[in-house]
Amino acid sequence: GSDQAQDNLADGECFYGVIKSYNERRGFGFVACEETARRFGRDVYLSKEEAVELAQFPAVGPAAAADAKKAHSEATLPIREGDFLQFQVQRSTEGYPQAVHARRMRRLRGEVVRPGLDSGADSMVVVRGDAPGASGVGGAAGDAEALSLSSFVGQEVRIRPADRGQLRLEAGDEVAFCCDTGEDGPQALEARLVELLRTQRRGAALLGCFVLELPRTSLPSPDEAGAPAAEAQLRVARLDGHALADRVVLAGLPRDLEEPELMRLFSKLGGSNVHVAHPLEDTEDLAGGFASVAFNGGPLDVARFLVRAAHTINEQG
């Protein structure tokens, strides 16, 4: 539970995520983060007070200018959905995870030069410049950022397996990422929040393999005596998956798992339609169904699903 998750938080432990939603009028939002979703089972709250402080600071990380904070004092950057953050976590008075010491991270792009296809092997990417759509500042801060980036282009950055999820990278792929210093010192650069920007893979090309644990809630039927049904029971369907460049294929579907239930998840993750096929009724295989989930956005949407190990989804998204 959340008590145990808080106990496992190390002093000064940093997390990396993206602003999933932000209410400009009321000044608060929520941050999606894979690691905090795994620990707490929910998105992280960004309070109004923290958002005000966040707007006062430029991006952090090795690619940010050392004197950007001083130059940035002339103006603030509006907070936007999709901003990438480095933050720490504390529990609110209600016991929910809340972001503190949040700072935006500069978004870079690079080319994969070492895929790291073996299980547990690191990938390597070479910095090529700012990511498309990366926000910056003007004036003295903008000049400082440009100078910092020029000395950064061409450097190699390591991508650990945990930061690319189940996505298989290939040499020549272009990725966007935020950069941080690694555990081996300031010269050991590591990529965070990796996103695929471009790949030559199409159609049936493999992007990754995974296991999907899908929570399912059901209400048992009343018993023969007419007693009321028991409380909702949580079940988990464990599905084997292969991600291709334009679709995800799932195996091991229980007989009662159909298209609408899968679309409640995948429609929020870029899926456009689902087709399900189950064995004939007279077979004894109760979990032998298959599903194909199409992604109209192609490999970039499929990759976005693969890089995150945990997804927090509700009926509102």
Side-chain angles (χ1 to χ4, degrees), residues 20-21 30 32 43 81 263-265 267-269 308 311-317:
K20 182 177 180 179
S21 62
F30 289 90
D43 293 327
E81 293 181 3
M263 276 304 294
R264 280 197 292 272
L265 169 67
S267 63
K268 310 290 177 54
L269 303 176
R308 292 187 61 189
H311 298 271
T312 54
I313 297 292
N314 57 34
E315 293 301 328
Q316 289 75 42

Side-chain angles (χ1 to χ4, degrees), residues 106-156:
R106 186 169 186 169
R107 199 74 172 149
L108 302 174
R109 63 178 173 86
E111 180 181 345
V112 176
V113 294
R114 191 176 74 199
L117 296 179
D118 295 335
S119 177
D122 295 338
S123 304
M124 196 67 71
V125 59
V126 172
V127 178
R128 298 303 187 200
D130 274 317
S135 60
V137 296
D143 294 339
E145 282 191 355
L147 180 62
S148 176
L149 179 63
S150 66
S151 63
F152 208 66
V153 171
Q155 291 197 39
E156 291 189 343

